Amino acid sequence: MELIDVIEKRVSVRKYSDSPLREEMIDHILKVIQRAPSAGNLQAYQVYTVRDQLSRKKLVSAAGGQEFIAEAPVTFVFCAIPELSGIKYGERGRNLYSIQDATIACTFAMLAAVDNGLGSVWVGAFDVQAVQNVLGCRKDIVPIAMLSVGISRETPGQSSRRKIEEINKFV
């Protein structure tokens, strides 16, 4: 699939089939995540691939009851490692670059899911500490975004977009 086709086909999916994902699909998404650009190539993020049903149900609670997280067979959790960026870039690395690294990786995963014919939805509303508890990660590894992925049971329409003239200013 051409990149523009992947981008145009991407929609937020919140209803999933109960079919598990094939291992090669997950592997493909992980390989794409690994290729995501990052500040100074530090890759100051950690990805947790959550397939366990009980853990996904706990993520639902951590995310204020967003049930589709448990319905999707896989939820990737993208975490920043602020100190890894901080070593090279100081405060800006800790407070911005590590977060950007995690969100870029999540974006790459979202597009890789579409490329595999899968649906996904980005989740940003959650309790950070509760997600850390579910993952069993250190407190210095900060959850930034979750991406639920699975075979879509719905075909949502495209969301409206602001006009290019509204989002861009030539200087």
Side-chain angles (χ1 to χ4, degrees):
M1 193 177 316
E2 294 288 324
L3 178 60
I4 190 66
D5 297 329
V6 170
I7 292 169
E8 289 178 349
K9 192 172 183 178
R10 193 221 59 83
V11 292
S12 293
V13 171
R14 292 177 178 84
K15 293 183 193 259
Y16 299 96
S17 159
D18 58 2
S19 300
L21 299 185
R22 296 189 321 269
E23 288 302 315
E24 57 268 17
M25 291 175 158
I26 296 170
D27 290 345
H28 173 75
I29 292 169
L30 292 171
K31 286 176 185 171
V32 171
I33 290 168
Q34 182 189 33
R35 299 298 305 159
S38 64
N41 196 33
L42 295 174
Q43 301 160 53
Y45 60 87
Q46 178 71 52
V47 181
Y48 292 82
T49 304
V50 183
R51 297 194 282 192
D52 174 68
Q53 178 70 25
L54 180 58
S55 295
R56 291 195 326 273
K57 285 184 179 183
K58 289 178 182 177
L59 288 177
V60 168
S61 295
Q66 297 182 70
E67 293 291 337
F68 56 81
I69 295 169
E71 188 179 313
V74 175
T75 294
F76 296 95
V77 183
F78 295 83
C79 301
I81 308 174
E83 287 309 313
L84 186 54
S85 267
I87 292 168
K88 184 170 184 176
Y89 296 112
E91 184 179 337
R92 189 161 173 87
R94 279 187 296 279
N95 297 332
L96 178 62
Y97 299 164
S98 63
I99 294 168
Q100 290 175 331
D101 288 356
T103 57
I104 292 167
C106 187
T107 301
F108 271 49
M110 184 173 46
L111 296 175
V114 173
D115 192 41
N116 271 304
L118 300 171
S120 70
V121 65
W122 184 296
V123 180
F126 53 81
D127 178 288
V128 169
Q129 188 173 16
V131 173
Q132 287 172 322
N133 291 341
V134 172
L135 301 176
C137 66
R138 302 183 325 243
K139 297 303 175 196
D140 62 329
I141 296 178
V142 184
I144 301 298
M146 294 192 279
L147 187 73
S148 292
V149 177
I151 298 167
S152 179
R153 278 195 307 114
E154 65 177 349
T155 310
Q158 289 288 334
S159 300
S160 62
R161 304 320 253 177
R162 291 171 50 205
K163 294 178 182 177
I164 290 175
E165 298 81 15
E166 293 175 12
I167 63 170
N168 177 65
K169 298 292 181 200
F170 287 102
V171 179

